[in-house]
Amino acid sequence: MNKLKMASEKSASRVLMLLSQLERLNEEPKVSDNDAIRQTTGKILHLIQTQEKTRKEVASKSSGGMEIILSSLENTQDLQTTLNILAILNELLTVGGGCRTGVFVSKGGTALLLQLLVGSSKDPPANEELMLHIHSLLVKVGLKDRKLGVKARLNGALNVTLNLVKYNLQNHKLLLPCLQVLRVYSRIHFFMSLGKSGTLEIMFEIIGPFSKKSTTLLKVALDTLASLLKSGMNARRAVDRGYLPTLLTIYQDWHRNDTRHRHVVIRKSILGCIKNLTNIKLGRKAFIDANGMRILYNTSTECLPVRTLDPLVNTSSLIMRKCFPKNRLPLPTIKSVFHHPLLHIPASGPVAKLYNQPPGVDDVVDESDENEATEVDTENDTEYDEDETGPKTQNDDIETDINKLRPIQMNTRPFDELRAYEYFFREFSENFEDDDFESPRSVIPPSSVNSELHRPIIIPTTPSSLGPQNRRPPQEDLLTPKPDESPLELDSISISKRPEGTSDPDLVCSLGRLVLDAGVNGGSVDGPQDEGGEQAVLEVPDTAALLPLHDPDLYLEMVKSTRSVPAYTEVGYPDYFGHVALNLREPILERVYGVQRTKIFQDIERLIHPSDILDKVVYDLDNQSCPVTDNGESLKFNSKFESGNLRKAIQVRKYYTNTDVNGDSMQVLMYSVQDAINGSPHWVRTGSDICYYKNHFSRSSIAAGGQKGKSYFTLTFTVTFQHKDDVCYFAYHYPYTYSMLKMHLQKLSALRTAQIYYRQDDLCETLGGNSCPLLTITAMPGSSSNDPISQFRSRPVVFLSARVHPGETNSSWVMKGTLEYLMSCSPQAQSLRESYIFKIIPMLNPDGVINGNHRCSLSGEDLNRQWQNPNAELHPTIYHAKSLLQYLRATGRTPLVFCDYHGHSRKKNVFMYGCSIKETVWQTNVNTSTCDLHEDLGYRTLPKLLSQMAPAFSLSSCSFVVERSKEATARVVVWREIGVQRSYTMESTLCGCDQGKYKGLQIGTSELEEMGAQFCLALLRLKRFTSPLELHNHNSHLLDMETDLIETRSIPNITSPTTYVLEEDEPAFLEEVDYSAEKFSRQDSLN
Ligand SMILES: [Zn+2]
């Protein structure tokens, strides 16, 4: 042991000795010393090759070995010495990681190598061993020296290497390191001059048909080529020379011959070259011309069964998707089928932009994609901006202008302008008479006053139906059908009775429609006149027992005064009967590998096998006379009812079956009329093979709202219908119509007791002529004497709103939960009413809801981006809601809490966004002196309370950062301009939860309603933290609790992960193209 150690120490010291000897020789170079230097370097090389420790010794800083060796290399003229030294360096840099290479580079080694390379090429033929050494060193240096490419081009070394490659195509030993150097050059964005120097052509000489020999060499050549083809200029050059078909042929050759899949990396590299070539339009054209779609489709199909070939399938699929010819949507125009005249159209608004286009050019596919082509790879499949998710590079979006973060000190409007809003705050001036306390005051809801529309109302339902006079007596238990109420009655009149194969020309009619004459109170019913099944009974389940706020007759009454642009006369069956929350857990489906790929392949098949495609229009709003053919095979569609929004349906294939995949995360909802009649009136999560991806339809920049042209998206899912001749409704989320709101409000107002103060006003009329209800809910004063009245008037205001985004129906369900709680008779509810005056606008965008918009109002704008400067004509609900708040501020009643309810399609759970200067400043890391910022941390209390109380609520998803892109939203404007410290957006998931009691489950209406109720309870608790009276009088420990709640903020970046953590969230509904091998950039996922 000792001996060994001594031996190694001895050798270590020997190498040091040799180094100092070399150093001395360097200092006094004499020709006669050549031999000595040669010998010394030879000895060092020998030691290094045999003794691991000596390498460390030489490379260590203290020995100065690297300098000495480099200095010898610089000075020597002797070939053998040079070779010795290069061999030493190769040995040294092979191990020891990048550290030694770093030292080598920092001591000027790169320049020396390049000089040596150029110098020795001057009298050819160059020494092969020398070339080998230099190139293998350059490969190593390339990992560390980012400027290698530039240096090599400047001193001419690049051409030396290129020439070596050219003249040594058969000499693989030398070719390999030279190619490796070229690969290094090509990777450090040096491809332009490489392309000009004919490198492309040389690479194509190297790559070729399948061969088991020199696969390493081939791989390097392909990698180099792929890098070069990233440059548009090189790609064009390659396409011009016809290399694309060549690559396809080579790929097919390898596909055929590599039967044991030993060379997947090479096959993948060939695809990599094709992928880069098809980034340019010319390349995509060449790909299509060369029958690339079919070639890649067929090879991929053959690869599918072998999982290890997934990278090939994925890259192929990516290429095919990119090359799939872009189409415009199969619509005559992207303008809506329906038109609603606006009083004035702002010249710069989205409406003017779209409608000022000459006919036909509104959705032209953008052709200019040469430069953006590379984005195709990284662009993720995302939908649209969510309310509150940050944009791509999120830190860019954080507000850094401290002046925009400070509250606005002055009132923004003169009080005279606001005085008119006094009307909506009558509770503050009302003198309660004694009889006010005896019985609820009569309230005439506006909806029942102006039911001036006497149009028939049709409810699409099952095959045949009769009216309420045939209704069965209320059943006690809806969910267990009694034996006598058999679906047989239905069957006896259903289409299924008809002989198979016979077609009924009146099939649409035979679907059955309940026609109610609105003129007669309660609705007398005319069944479809020519219907054969008059004996049928329309089973109307008694939803009243389970749905106290639902009443079909009242619903119809409400519908009559709802004004839609298409003037709907039909009523959705689920809206009429009502939805009873399913008493069943609906787990979030696991995503199954490869679903998206399969779907994309099916899309590609449409191009490759067009004969399989029917492309039959089965529903078309643009063409009302669209013939409904019935061959017993087509589904029939209809969406002409409130909140409906189907424009066109095209049957793509005759039969569509797909059995090998199923499941994804968020399911859509389906309501089966047959099931409802059979006692299950539920919206149920349904569908498998759910997939959402960017398709081959392209949006022009006009359609994309001024952005660059983008793709449309496909949402696809598979549903198996359980009943024959059923009518099924589909929804993205649990529907909640405007008429439903009006019905609920009417029912709620009837719940008033002598203790409850409830008032419903019409805030304003919308563009579509609908009223926007404003509710005031609080407790009646204890009595009409002075003290109770002054307590009543001093209650803080809580201002709530919902449904500014029509597609976020879940926000209405949360609001329903809040309203029901506020009207309930529990002691806590009474206590809550005694604590606050609630001002609630349950639906900020009635028109959008009624007309089936997803996000906009009738002015075509997102109303939650109008709060900074709402226009009274175009955005009346926002304008007047803001005025209410301005009035409150002006009268010294700035609300304690403002909260706008929203829905989130991708994130799970329920969470809040709030506003904090400090957290915003912290996030930006801007060097603002934050010590002068004094901020009350009270904004954290409510979310914290909610996270303790509401099972669906997640504190870790909350954020209190103010983003630039959100400066015109309700949350930010109410915070800054009105001065509400606790100003929030509350986002509820459309999907499900990944924490708490509902972890792993999809969210349903009862969970959403529960959330709304929990919000009320949290407000009750918040009172203890905000009422100075209570704090002084008792419960001093509450002070500690609030401190405790607030203190959690002391570590800035832990308790508030904020939006900036959420970028890592897996989108709940959008499946990223799961081309795992491609490693897409995730940073775009929240576009
Ligand atoms: Zn929203």
Side-chain angles (χ1 to χ4, degrees):
M1 199 69 191
N2 251 350
K3 262 189 181 172
L4 254 177
K5 198 180 168 196
M6 282 184 54
S8 79
E9 270 172 12
K10 200 177 161 194
S11 63
S13 58
R14 177 136 186 260
V15 88
L16 288 182
M17 231 174 59
L18 289 167
L19 275 175
S20 52
Q21 199 178 321
L22 190 58
E23 195 177 13
R24 273 199 309 279
L25 290 165
N26 284 341
E27 278 160 10
E28 307 154 24
K30 291 178 209 150
V31 186
S32 58
D33 288 342
N34 267 350
D35 283 349
I37 294 179
R38 196 184 298 158
Q39 275 174 19
T40 313
T41 52
K43 283 174 191 167
I44 294 174
L45 177 62
H46 177 74
L47 278 175
I48 275 180
Q49 282 168 336
T50 51
Q51 301 277 349
E52 167 69 31
K53 270 206 161 181
T54 55
R55 285 183 210 164
K56 282 184 192 162
E57 208 69 38
V58 175
S60 80
K61 265 191 182 166
S62 57
S63 74
M66 192 67 85
E67 286 99 327
I68 298 165
I69 289 165
L70 287 178
S71 159
S72 306
L73 183 63
E74 196 173 1
N75 293 332
T76 186
Q77 303 292 327
D78 177 50
L79 179 64
Q80 189 53 50
T81 306
T82 307
L83 289 175
N84 284 349
I85 293 174
L86 291 175
I88 291 169
L89 288 169
N90 260 319
E91 290 287 342
L92 284 178
L93 303 193
T94 300
V95 287
C99 185
R100 289 183 191 171
T101 314
V103 175
F104 174 82
V105 172
S106 70
K107 305 288 179 199
T110 314
L112 264 178
L113 282 181
L114 294 174
Q115 277 165 22
L116 197 58
L117 181 57
V118 175
S120 52
S121 69
K122 279 181 181 145
D123 54 325
N127 179 289
E128 186 172 322
E129 201 186 343
L130 185 68
M131 292 297 118
L132 269 173
H133 275 307
I134 294 176
H135 282 94
S136 63
L137 275 171
L138 282 175
V139 172
K140 291 171 187 127
V141 167
L143 299 170
K144 275 280 163 186
D145 191 347
R146 303 177 134 253
K147 290 179 181 158
L148 176 65
V150 182
K151 290 176 188 167
R153 190 183 44 167
L154 289 179
N155 83 342
L158 168 68
N159 284 330
V160 178
T161 305
L162 266 178
N163 281 330
L164 277 172
V165 171
K166 262 185 222 173
Y167 299 114
N168 291 281
L169 286 175
Q170 303 312 318
N171 180 357
H172 290 181
K173 193 180 166 202
L174 180 58
L175 187 58
L176 185 62
C178 291
L179 275 177
Q180 283 169 331
V181 169
L182 285 184
R183 178 167 67 175
V184 169
Y185 292 162
S186 72
R187 276 181 188 161
I188 37 190
H189 299 283
F190 192 46
F191 25 66
M192 291 284 269
S193 50
L194 276 176
K196 279 183 201 152
S197 322
T199 322
L200 282 176
E201 291 77 2
I202 299 171
M203 292 306 129
F204 271 95
E205 282 188 47
I206 297 167
I207 62 171
F210 174 78
S211 153
K212 284 178 186 170
K213 285 180 206 158
S214 52
T215 50
T216 314
L217 194 75
L218 191 57
K219 174 80 171 67
V220 178
L222 282 165
D223 286 351
T224 310
L225 185 61
S227 292
L228 293 177
L229 294 177
K230 279 182 186 164
S231 129
M233 191 194 267
N234 288 343
R236 266 188 295 278
R237 194 184 171 100
V239 173
D240 285 343
R241 288 170 191 243
Y243 287 151
L244 204 140
T246 312
L247 283 168
L248 280 169
T249 310
I250 293 172
Y251 181 68
Q252 275 178 297
D253 187 50
W254 279 82
H255 173 80
R256 269 194 294 271
N257 290 295
D258 183 27
T259 47
R260 303 176 78 176
H261 312 309
R262 295 262 170 83
H263 304 290
V264 177
V265 282
I266 287 184
R267 291 156 71 181
K268 173 109 197 302
S269 295
I270 302 171
L271 288 176
C273 294
I274 297 174
K275 191 181 97 184
N276 289 347
L277 266 183
T278 50
N279 277 345
I280 60 164
K281 205 165 74 186
L282 209 62
R284 292 195 285 276
K285 189 181 173 299
F287 178 82
I288 296 284
D289 292 346
N291 209 8
M293 289 296 260
R294 194 179 287 267
I295 291 170
L296 290 196
Y297 179 82
N298 290 340
T299 51
S300 300
T301 312
E302 286 165 29
C303 289
L304 272 176
V306 186
R307 186 73 178 253
T308 49
L309 301 182
D310 273 355
L312 303 183
V313 179
N314 292 338
T315 310
S316 298
S317 167
L318 187 81
I319 296 166
M320 286 188 282
R321 230 148 68 101
K322 202 162 51 176
C323 296
F324 201 114
K326 293 279 176 202
N327 281 329
R328 53 176 289 166
L329 282 181
L331 294 173
T333 170
I334 54 164
K335 293 168 192 164
S336 173
V337 176
F338 303 110
H339 296 275
H340 179 79
L342 295 175
L343 289 169
H344 88 267
I345 300 170
S348 59
V351 176
K353 210 166 178 189
L354 180 53
Y355 282 81
N356 290 341
Q357 295 297 326
V361 301
D362 61 356
D363 196 18
V364 177
V365 175
D366 290 340
E367 294 290 342
S368 57
D369 55 356
E370 293 282 314
N371 289 324
E372 72 195 270
T374 47
E375 288 170 32
V376 174
D377 296 350
T378 49
E379 219 177 338
N380 270 298
D381 287 358
T382 50
E383 198 179 0
Y384 43 75
D385 252 332
E386 202 61 50
D387 322 306
E388 296 278 355
T389 45
K392 277 188 185 178
T393 45
Q394 293 171 334
N395 282 319
D396 288 357
D397 191 36
I398 301 174
E399 185 59 73
T400 50
D401 182 352
I402 200 78
N403 291 318
K404 286 194 167 179
L405 290 171
R406 289 188 197 279
I408 292 174
Q409 297 299 330
M410 300 291 292
N411 282 327
T412 41
R413 281 170 75 184
F415 187 70
D416 277 351
E417 270 181 52
L418 296 168
R419 200 182 296 279
Y421 292 90
E422 215 170 76
Y423 172 80
F424 296 105
F425 299 95
R426 302 194 288 288
E427 65 276 12
F428 292 130
S429 52
E430 217 162 337
N431 287 310
F432 293 86
E433 304 296 332
D434 284 343
D435 58 340
D436 284 337
F437 301 96
E438 277 153 22
S439 61
R441 293 161 313 144
S442 63
V443 170
I444 306 164
S447 46
S448 60
V449 179
N450 57 357
S451 57
E452 79 283 7
L453 299 169
H454 290 258
R455 50 176 197 247
I457 290 177
I458 306 163
I459 302 174
T461 174
T462 38
S464 178
S465 41
L466 289 178
Q469 72 267 32
N470 287 337
R471 246 182 240 175
R472 306 193 140 252
Q475 296 146 19
E476 290 204 291
D477 185 1
L478 254 177
L479 302 176
T480 50
K482 300 216 169 64
D484 66 309
E485 48 148 357
S486 57
L488 282 175
E489 281 177 322
L490 263 170
D491 286 347
S492 66
I493 50 86
S494 72
I495 308 166
S496 63
K497 259 191 81 180
R498 287 194 194 86
E500 296 277 324
T502 59
S503 66
D504 176 1
D506 295 324
L507 204 111
V508 169
C509 189
S510 72
L511 273 171
R513 282 167 188 217
L514 183 66
V515 183
L516 301 179
D517 186 330
V520 183
N521 194 23
S524 84
V525 178
D526 303 319
Q529 269 74 26
D530 311 319
E531 198 50 61
E534 240 71 20
Q535 293 78 10
V537 174
L538 171 62
E539 303 281 348
V540 180
D542 175 24
T543 42
L546 288 156
L547 295 173
L549 298 189
H550 192 88
D551 175 347
D553 292 337
L554 181 60
Y555 185 76
L556 292 182
E557 204 55 40
M558 295 297 116
V559 168
K560 288 171 202 165
S561 60
T562 298
R563 293 161 186 261
S564 59
V565 175
Y568 290 132
T569 56
E570 299 177 25
V571 173
Y573 189 101
D575 303 338
Y576 177 71
F577 269 2
H579 151 74
V580 178
L582 197 64
N583 196 14
L584 189 93
R585 298 181 137 211
E586 296 176 288
I588 297 173
L589 294 189
E590 294 291 318
R591 177 178 300 168
V592 172
Y593 181 85
V595 175
Q596 176 159 324
R597 195 168 72 181
T598 311
K599 297 289 182 182
I600 289 167
F601 271 60
Q602 284 164 359
D603 268 3
I604 292 164
E605 282 168 29
R606 287 162 76 165
L607 190 77
I608 295 176
H609 306 296
S611 57
D612 296 350
I613 300 304
L614 293 179
D615 268 342
K616 189 173 81 176
V617 177
V618 291
Y619 180 73
D620 192 357
L621 276 187
D622 290 277
N623 174 16
Q624 300 283 2
S625 59
C626 167
V628 179
T629 52
D630 179 52
N631 49 11
E633 283 167 0
S634 299
L635 297 172
K636 278 157 277 301
F637 292 85
N638 181 24
S639 71
K640 293 173 193 155
F641 44 82
E642 190 175 337
S643 300
N645 68 352
L646 180 67
R647 181 165 183 171
K648 191 170 190 171
I650 301 172
Q651 183 179 5
V652 175
R653 290 182 175 85
K654 192 172 180 186
Y655 299 111
Y656 189 92
T657 51
N658 176 26
T659 51
D660 61 332
V661 285
N662 64 75
D664 198 85
S665 47
M666 180 175 144
Q667 295 176 291
V668 295
L669 288 148
M670 187 175 89
Y671 188 108
S672 152
V673 172
Q674 291 251 23
D675 279 345
I677 288 169
N678 293 341
S680 300
H682 315 293
W683 281 103
V684 180
R685 298 274 187 174
T686 193
S688 55
D689 312 346
I690 301 158
C691 192
Y692 188 77
Y693 61 91
K694 197 189 285 177
N695 58 33
H696 60 279
F697 293 109
S698 173
R699 277 188 293 179
S700 69
S701 56
I702 303 159
Q707 300 160 299
K708 259 188 314 198
K710 287 188 168 183
S711 285
Y712 287 98
F713 289 78
T714 293
L715 167 64
T716 162
F717 55 91
T718 303
V719 167
T720 309
F721 296 106
Q722 297 303 314
H723 308 286
K724 228 182 165 192
D725 309 318
D726 198 358
V727 173
C728 290
Y729 288 80
F730 286 91
Y732 175 56
H733 198 74
Y734 298 94
Y736 192 103
T737 63
Y738 173 66
S739 299
M740 214 181 278
L741 171 72
K742 289 192 294 183
M743 172 182 71
H744 286 156
L745 293 184
Q746 185 123 326
K747 285 283 197 178
L748 282 168
S749 74
L751 296 176
R752 264 183 325 145
T753 64
Q755 283 81 44
I756 303 178
Y757 183 103
Y758 174 96
R759 198 179 74 231
Q760 181 178 335
D761 293 302
D762 289 347
L763 177 62
C764 60
E765 191 172 89
T766 65
L767 290 176
N770 295 288
S771 89
C772 177
L774 165 69
L775 309 178
T776 305
I777 303 175
T778 184
M780 289 292 277
S783 72
S784 59
S785 59
N786 273 345
D787 266 9
I789 295 281
S790 76
Q791 189 277 338
F792 178 98
R793 289 181 186 167
S794 67
R795 291 172 191 166
V797 173
V798 171
F799 202 111
L800 306 176
S801 59
R803 208 70 190 280
V804 71
H805 292 141
E808 295 161 5
T809 59
N810 51 355
S811 68
S812 279
W813 290 98
V814 177
M815 183 51 88
K816 177 171 180 271
T818 296
L819 293 175
E820 271 187 272
Y821 187 89
L822 285 177
M823 293 303 287
S824 67
C825 52
S826 72
Q828 288 112 312
Q830 177 60 18
S831 172
L832 184 61
R833 288 188 295 262
E834 286 167 2
S835 309
Y836 302 110
I837 292 174
F838 287 88
K839 287 284 175 188
I840 301 175
I841 306 174
M843 197 172 273
L844 275 168
N845 189 355
D847 292 344
V849 169
I850 294 163
N851 295 295
N853 292 1
H854 186 62
R855 211 174 161 78
C856 292
S857 72
L858 279 186
S859 72
E861 290 162 291
D862 181 341
L863 290 182
N864 202 31
R865 293 293 186 277
Q866 312 302 331
W867 280 80
Q868 257 183 338
N869 197 15
N871 180 300
E873 278 180 5
L874 287 172
H875 326 113
T877 59
I878 304 303
Y879 178 83
H880 294 294
K882 184 173 178 183
S883 300
L884 292 177
L885 287 155
Q886 287 170 324
Y887 175 86
L888 283 169
R889 174 177 173 157
T891 55
R893 294 180 180 276
T894 302
L896 181 75
V897 172
F898 170 85
C899 187
D900 192 22
Y901 295 3
H902 283 253
H904 206 290
S905 68
R906 290 195 289 271
K907 291 178 196 164
K908 301 222 167 74
N909 312 313
V910 181
F911 51 92
M912 275 178 153
Y913 294 109
C915 304
S916 155
I917 303 183
K918 282 202 168 180
E919 299 205 22
T920 305
V921 170
W922 275 327
Q923 287 288 345
T924 55
N925 301 321
V926 168
N927 271 339
T928 319
S929 75
T930 49
C931 47
D932 68 324
L933 288 175
H934 294 290
E935 191 172 47
D936 184 339
L937 296 178
Y939 64 89
R940 296 193 64 88
T941 317
L942 188 59
K944 181 90 186 184
L945 288 169
L946 280 169
S947 74
Q948 291 168 354
M949 301 165 71
F953 196 89
S954 161
L955 189 64
S956 62
S957 302
C958 294
S959 163
F960 304 95
V961 169
V962 179
E963 306 89 340
R964 284 198 197 109
S965 59
K966 306 294 157 50
E967 66 172 9
T969 62
R971 165 180 63 110
V972 177
V973 171
V974 172
W975 171 70
R976 264 194 89 216
E977 291 188 30
I978 311 297
V980 177
Q981 187 207 359
R982 295 174 179 83
S983 177
Y984 306 104
T985 297
M986 185 161 79
E987 298 269 2
S988 300
T989 177
L990 287 154
C991 175
C993 295
D994 60 10
Q995 52 85 49
K997 195 166 96 183
Y998 306 129
K999 185 175 181 176
L1001 299 179
Q1002 301 192 76
I1003 204 119
T1005 50
S1006 38
E1007 290 79 24
L1008 293 166
E1009 290 185 42
E1010 179 196 60
M1011 186 62 228
Q1014 293 284 5
F1015 184 82
C1016 292
L1017 281 169
L1019 284 174
L1020 190 58
R1021 280 221 219 158
L1022 178 73
K1023 186 194 163 197
R1024 299 188 197 147
F1025 299 125
T1026 52
S1027 157
L1029 254 174
E1030 300 241 350
L1031 286 176
H1032 287 303
N1033 290 352
H1034 39 211
N1035 294 343
S1036 64
H1037 71 276
L1038 284 173
L1039 271 173
D1040 301 334
M1041 192 175 158
E1042 167 139 57
T1043 317
D1044 174 48
L1045 286 171
I1046 290 171
E1047 282 297 304
T1048 52
R1049 191 59 190 87
S1050 54
I1051 308 162
N1053 289 314
I1054 290 181
T1055 54
S1056 177
T1058 76
T1059 31
Y1060 307 99
V1061 167
L1062 293 171
E1063 66 182 307
E1064 288 156 20
D1065 280 8
E1066 193 68 358
F1069 196 45
L1070 310 175
E1071 187 179 358
E1072 190 196 359
V1073 189
D1074 60 1
Y1075 302 145
S1076 40
E1078 286 303 318
K1079 290 242 171 88
F1080 285 168
S1081 147
R1082 295 280 316 166
Q1083 67 185 3
D1084 298 17
S1085 65
L1086 291 177
N1087 181 20

